Amino acid sequence: LSLLLVVLTEFSISSGPLVMAKDPLAEAGLHFDELNKLRVLEPDVSQKTTELKEECEEFVDKIGQFQKIVGGLIELVDELAKEAENEKMKAIGARNLLKSVEKQREAQQQQLQALIAEKKMQLER
């Protein structure tokens, strides 16, 4: 009630028509919203705050989706890296086996050459 009296006494008469002075509620930092509820924030600040909140929620949702996508990509790359490592190990094993077979053939060839040389010597005797 006293607030209503303050509002009514703020009307002043200047030279000419009736002029309303500055809104005392606005000066006190109080505003009415679209539902005529008393608010501390100005309506445009409140609206911008609500819009920012909604944008932040959308941003958080998009970040969550991005994290899921990146997580899937990381898993896929990890699987491919494991497969590549397995194939690399298989290739190294095959190469080592080939080298050992090659050395065995060289050793067998030397044995056969030594045997041939021995047989030639026996034949010459």
Side-chain angles (χ1 to χ4, degrees):
L1 185 60
S2 62
L3 186 59
L4 183 58
L5 290 175
V6 170
V7 172
L8 291 176
T9 56
E10 288 295 320
F11 285 106
S12 64
I13 300 176
S14 62
S15 60
L18 188 62
V19 177
M20 183 175 176
K22 291 183 179 177
D23 186 13
L25 291 176
E27 287 179 0
L30 302 173
H31 306 279
F32 288 102
D33 65 2
E34 64 277 351
L35 300 174
N36 289 327
K37 290 187 176 182
L38 193 58
R39 302 287 180 191
V40 176
L41 288 177
E42 294 180 24
D44 59 334
V45 173
S46 177
Q47 180 184 1
K48 289 179 182 178
T49 303
T50 304
E51 289 173 2
L52 180 62
K53 178 185 173 189
E54 291 170 359
E55 288 178 15
C56 288
E57 289 172 353
E58 289 176 21
F59 179 74
V60 168
D61 290 341
K62 287 181 181 180
I63 291 295
Q65 292 172 352
F66 178 73
Q67 285 178 335
K68 287 179 185 177
I69 292 170
V70 169
L73 180 64
I74 289 173
E75 288 177 11
L76 180 63
V77 169
D78 285 344
E79 287 177 24
L80 290 174
K82 287 177 184 177
E83 288 180 23
E85 189 67 25
N86 288 339
E87 291 299 319
K88 179 180 169 183
M89 289 299 171
K90 287 178 185 178
I92 290 172
R95 184 177 61 197
N96 289 342
L97 181 63
L98 184 63
K99 284 181 181 179
S100 68
V101 167
E102 184 179 324
K103 287 182 182 180
Q104 286 175 352
R105 283 192 180 172
E106 287 176 6
Q108 187 179 18
Q109 185 179 11
Q110 287 176 354
Q111 286 177 350
L112 290 174
Q113 285 177 349
L115 186 63
I116 290 173
E118 185 180 322
K119 295 287 182 183
K120 279 185 182 178
M121 289 181 79
Q122 284 179 359
L123 218 123
E124 288 177 2
R125 285 186 201 167

